[in-house]
Amino acid sequence: MLFFSMSFGVLLFISGCRLFSPKVYSPKKIEKPVKRLDLSKQGLSEIPSSVFKNKELEVLWLYKNELTEIPKEIAELKKLRKLYIGKNKLTKIPKEIGELKNLEILSLQYNDIDSISPAIYKAENLEWILLNHNNLQTLPEEMGKMENLKTLSLTYNYLKKLPSGLFNSGSLEFIHLTRNFIDSIPKSIKNSTNLREIHLDNAGVFLDLPEELCDLRRMDLLVVDRQVLVPPCLFARPTTQLRIQIK
């Protein structure tokens, strides 16, 4: 039986579609300040310097270029709320991302990222971090300080462990960990009292889930496979709110 995941539907919508089709600008013709700028599919190997002079910029698309780094000048975009740099050749998330205090969505899917600066937690208004299809093996402990982070999507990476501090803020609602190499979930997940969905299908071989998951009364969807060891207490919960989907 298949269950529709509302968060996954929204995740696909935000990362792959738009509410509108903004004008695509040529990098050489950014003549006046704009709030939304689309430089997708321009063959860019670096972000044009003119972009950083646009102090009113709120949404920036750089999808499917040839970018290998996010330059330090990104910190100059103080009003930036949404940043999409999917399908490039990025290898790290620099500390300057932490200086974007208004950033709400960070989408860096389909890159080669293997490093996240611990300073990312300083981007205090981040709600969505989408890092699917990268080369991550570890996450910084400091991500647990992000008090507004609601959605963390890390499918198709190389994660083996999750830092115990990841769940400290208790703000996470949706976690996607499909296709990783994780062997256990920290007991500190009990701090994620707002957690609604966690996707763990093919997240690791013989992934052992802690009993602390049973304390998360707002959780309504757990997605696993037949190699995930689900604690019996989850099946014995007196509420029908929780759905366990086995793939």
Side-chain angles (χ1 to χ4, degrees):
M1 181 178 293
L2 295 177
F3 295 100
F4 177 74
S5 165
M6 189 57 116
S7 74
F8 189 62
V10 173
L11 182 65
L12 289 177
F13 182 81
I14 286 184
S15 59
C17 304
R18 297 170 186 160
L19 291 170
F20 55 88
S21 297
K23 180 179 179 181
V24 177
Y25 288 81
S26 165
K28 297 180 181 180
K29 295 182 179 180
I30 307 173
E31 300 172 350
K32 60 181 182 179
V34 293
K35 291 187 176 181
R36 296 175 175 86
L37 180 60
D38 191 341
L39 294 177
S40 299
K41 300 180 182 180
Q42 296 282 319
L44 300 173
S45 58
E46 60 182 31
I47 302 175
S49 59
S50 56
V51 171
F52 306 116
K53 297 176 182 179
N54 189 350
K55 306 304 182 183
E56 300 301 313
L57 195 60
E58 295 181 7
V59 185
L60 176 59
W61 288 276
L62 289 158
Y63 177 78
K64 206 171 184 180
N65 280 291
E66 301 292 327
L67 303 173
T68 58
E69 66 175 359
I70 301 174
K72 62 182 181 180
E73 288 81 6
I74 195 74
E76 298 174 15
L77 301 177
K78 301 299 185 183
K79 293 187 178 181
L80 196 65
R81 296 188 299 109
K82 302 175 184 180
L83 179 60
Y84 303 92
I85 318 185
K87 282 204 171 183
N88 278 271
K89 298 178 180 179
L90 304 177
T91 59
K92 66 179 182 179
I93 299 178
K95 63 181 181 180
E96 285 77 16
I97 290 295
E99 297 182 36
L100 301 176
K101 304 301 183 182
N102 289 302
L103 193 64
E104 298 169 1
I105 297 176
L106 178 63
S107 179
L108 303 177
Q109 304 180 89
Y110 292 93
N111 277 285
D112 300 312
I113 295 170
D114 58 16
S115 173
I116 302 175
S117 170
I120 191 172
Y121 83 92
K122 295 181 180 179
E124 56 196 28
N125 282 302
L126 258 178
E127 296 183 9
W128 290 66
I129 296 180
L130 309 178
L131 291 169
N132 305 318
H133 292 269
N134 275 287
N135 296 328
L136 289 167
Q137 296 187 41
T138 61
L139 301 174
E141 192 91 16
E142 288 80 359
M143 289 182 73
K145 299 179 181 180
M146 305 181 77
E147 296 184 352
N148 288 301
L149 185 60
K150 293 179 173 61
T151 297
L152 180 60
S153 194
L154 298 159
T155 66
Y156 289 87
N157 275 278
Y158 297 89
L159 295 170
K160 297 179 180 179
K161 298 284 185 184
L162 298 177
S164 60
L166 180 63
F167 306 104
N168 284 351
S169 75
S171 63
L172 280 169
E173 296 181 10
F174 304 99
I175 304 174
H176 298 261
L177 293 167
T178 299
R179 295 289 179 180
N180 277 282
F181 298 89
I182 302 166
D183 58 10
S184 64
I185 300 293
K187 292 183 178 181
S188 57
I189 196 170
K190 66 182 180 182
N191 297 323
S192 292
T193 53
N194 291 308
L195 190 64
R196 292 175 55 191
E197 295 184 11
I198 181 167
H199 296 250
L200 296 168
D201 49 309
N202 293 296
V205 178
F206 300 118
L207 174 57
D208 192 5
L209 303 185
E211 290 189 354
E212 281 73 10
L213 278 173
C214 300
D215 296 327
L216 302 179
R217 294 299 173 179
R218 294 186 181 180
M219 187 167 65
D220 52 31
L221 179 61
L222 171 64
V223 182
V224 296
D225 59 56
R226 297 189 183 279
Q227 296 189 85
V228 176
L229 303 177
V230 179
C233 58
L234 283 179
F235 294 103
R237 280 172 60 160
T239 176
T240 59
Q241 177 180 338
L242 177 63
R243 295 172 294 155
I244 300 177
Q245 181 180 351
I246 302 176
K247 290 190 173 182

